[in-house]
């Protein structure tokens, strides 16, 4: 059961990585400087709270509150 849970988690993380990569490519104009390079542990600190949550909101298509 633990192995199955770990496999499901890994597959889910892969799905997230693909979604973030796809959306980042859509949002970043061609020829612009590369986005901040950060791993999962320091991305929030590297870009700041507002930009981090804005990106997550865009990637997951979360609608703005009315």
């Amino acid at each position: 059961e633990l192995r199955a849970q770990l496999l499901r988690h890994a597959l889910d993380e892969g799905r997230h990585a693909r979604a973030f990569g796809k959306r980042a490519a859509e949002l970043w104009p061609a020829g612009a400087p590369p986005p901040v390079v950060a791993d999962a542990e320091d991305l929030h600190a590297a870009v700041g709270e507002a930009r981090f949550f804005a990106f997550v909101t865009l990637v997951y298509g979360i609608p703005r509150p009315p």
Side-chain angles (χ1 to χ4, degrees):
E1 181 59 30
L2 177 58
R3 287 182 185 173
Q5 288 177 348
L6 292 172
L7 178 59
R8 283 191 297 271
H9 179 70
L11 293 172
D12 192 45
E13 290 302 317
R15 184 178 61 83
H16 290 142
R18 287 187 299 279
F20 274 93
K22 180 180 178 221
R23 189 62 176 150
E26 293 168 1
L27 294 173
W28 206 265
V36 173
V37 176
D39 62 24
E41 285 74 33
D42 64 4
L43 180 59
H44 181 271
V47 300
E49 184 175 8
R51 290 181 71 199
F52 177 79
F53 285 114
F55 184 71
V56 170
T57 298
L58 287 170
V59 167
Y60 284 101
I62 301 168
R64 289 182 172 197

